[in-house]
Amino acid sequence: MLVPDRLLSLSDRVVLRLQEAGLGLPERPAGKIPDLPTDLTNVSSRDVGRLLAEFSAWLAYITPQAALARVEVKSAKIGVQAAKKLKHPDDEVSDLERTTIEAEAWADVLDALERSTLRKKEAVSREITRLVGEAAPNLNPVNLSRSNQNGPRR
């Protein structure tokens, strides 16, 4: 049985629109967000690649979840404003304000988690760049640009 759109939360309606446009949300990755090793230089190149893939998958999942949480905050604030304008009883307004505070807290936590995961992914990406530079110093873009300063050889 289909639920009428007017009974869905704003974020649920956004998700439906995404699905209708063929833009589904990423599924939640298995397990938990991995911890960043204290010293990435002691991690094998294979494990560094795995970490990059895991952080990328988590970031792809968290980012739209954080956006949907911000949609819920906006929706909750509109609900409070409407209830006050329509002079709903104070206890109803208080309940809506509490819902807004909870929505804001959840959005704040997801935003922090998104930033943290992005920083971890960036650290792993820098380590991959370092590993590539060590493995093939002659392919380093800095070295290539220096060798091309005199123009092409003929």
Side-chain angles (χ1 to χ4, degrees), residues 131-146:
L131 288 170
V132 168
E134 274 185 2
N138 294 331
L139 296 179
N140 186 321
V142 174
N143 292 340
L144 289 175
S145 65
R146 287 183 186 149

Side-chain angles (χ1 to χ4, degrees), residues 16-87:
L16 280 176
R17 287 189 70 186
L18 285 169
Q19 290 170 344
E20 289 169 0
L23 302 170
L25 295 173
E27 289 188 29
R28 183 187 184 282
K32 67 177 192 75
I33 300 172
D35 293 326
L36 186 64
T38 306
D39 186 359
L40 277 171
T41 61
N42 290 330
V43 178
S44 73
S45 59
R46 176 172 287 169
D47 285 341
V48 169
R50 181 189 51 76
L51 280 171
L52 183 65
E54 287 184 35
F55 288 133
S56 295
W58 274 105
L59 199 55
Y61 174 73
I62 293 169
T63 300
Q65 295 300 320
L68 289 171
R70 289 187 296 274
V71 166
E72 284 302 314
V73 169
K74 291 176 187 174
S75 180
K77 287 180 178 180
I78 290 168
V80 169
Q81 291 171 349
K84 286 180 178 180
K85 186 175 181 178
L86 295 171
K87 304 205 185 298

